[in-house]
Amino acid sequence: MGGRPRKIKKISKGTFVTVLVINSGSSSLKYQLVNPENGAAIASGLVERIGEEIAFIKHAYGEQEVKLETPVADHSVALAKVLELFDQVGPALSEAGIVAVGHRVVQGGSYFSGPAIITDEVRDLIEGFAPLAPLHNPAHLKGIDVARELMDVPHVAVFDTAFFQSLPAEAATYALDKEVAAKYSIRRYGAHGTSHQYVSGKVTEFLGDSELKQIVLHLGNGASASAVKNGHAVDTSMGLTPLEGLVMGTRTGDIDPAAVFHLSRVGGMSTDEIDTLFNKQSGLKGLTGDNDMRAIRDRATAGDAEARAALDVVVHRLIKYVGAYTAVLGGLDTLTFTAGIGENDPDLRAEVCERLAFMGIKLDLEKNAVRSKEPRVISTENSAIKVLVVPTNEELAIAQQAMSLI
Ligand code: AMP
């Protein structure tokens, strides 16, 4: 889920239907109570440092925000505390209108091409895909198990990989020995699918055209690109795991896998050390020491050559993907920016579009400078390709997908 704060809107009690959206991590539980019809975030919060000496809890509802520091032994205690906070701070559970719980799940393997009501069988399938997402799926299951125990409503799993199950075989297949690939389930699954589906769907809705060749650039701390044709994903930049593709906050994105052999043989590094290096110490952080785009942008503006060089790597990678996906799509109608950087960094959008001027892209600089929470076109009337900014909302997308099943 995107970590940006969302506006908490107060709504008269007892008059609405809501979905509680849960994103459970190994030592954290984030949640948002969403009205799936109008997208309002009615309440939200998180429990961090579960299992450590002192946990941090935050719950926000309307104007009220409560912060607590207290021991929270496990996810079961965490959720019990959250439910208590709903009753103490609001909205009271008896009046919150919760009709379903939507759980974010990173990896649904080749099995789930859409959301699923969580039965015991579905739960076990999610567990079965844990080797493909060892940090995420077991952590999601902690939240799923306690929520199913404490909340007697349908629970729905919404998979980050589902939207990319439509990838044609040639896009999903690595040119690896096919028996090894099959034995270890190695293929391109993609990630951020909930966001790419939501944003590409919004573009379709906003332009009133369902036959579009779209590229969506989800540029947050994690970053990914997708190529979407007539509403179906045909390629995406994340692969077996979210490590592949664009330059990210702390991840390398594309890198020659032989770098792993080299670091192992010559650098004497272990697999775990290389995993940490590629996932946590690389990307913008590895290039500049900072993983926050705002800080890097400020440094570059002040003339810092290291920050400028890192931005050049980011833009170069983006241009490469847009070019490649335009070829994959056989043309391009829309290019859409979303997530923390995509929505909030007009300079990056301008730099990318400037390099794409050869494709007939013309950015309207005034429109590009406008800040808004609404979907908008930022290209000129005569641009050959429409450029848009569409704020993503993964919590709302999860809530809507959960509602579609109950
Ligand atoms: P997300 O993962 O979608 O929450 O996005 C986080 C990223 O968005 C971080 O790199 C932030 O620095 C970046 N971001 C947020 N606001 C801005 C902004 N005004 N300008 C540039 N980057 C921003």
Side-chain angles (χ1 to χ4, degrees), residues 2-4 220-222 291-294 339-341 344-345 371:
R4 292 175 306 292
N221 198 34
N291 68 332
D292 189 314
M293 185 53 108
R294 276 165 293 204
I341 300 168
N344 297 304
D345 190 343
R371 286 189 157 269

Side-chain angles (χ1 to χ4, degrees), residues 347-365:
D347 294 336
L348 186 82
R349 296 193 298 254
E351 285 174 27
V352 169
C353 290
E354 210 171 285
R355 294 276 304 273
L356 297 173
F358 76 94
M359 289 167 60
I361 287 188
K362 290 186 193 141
L363 203 60
D364 181 320
L365 296 179

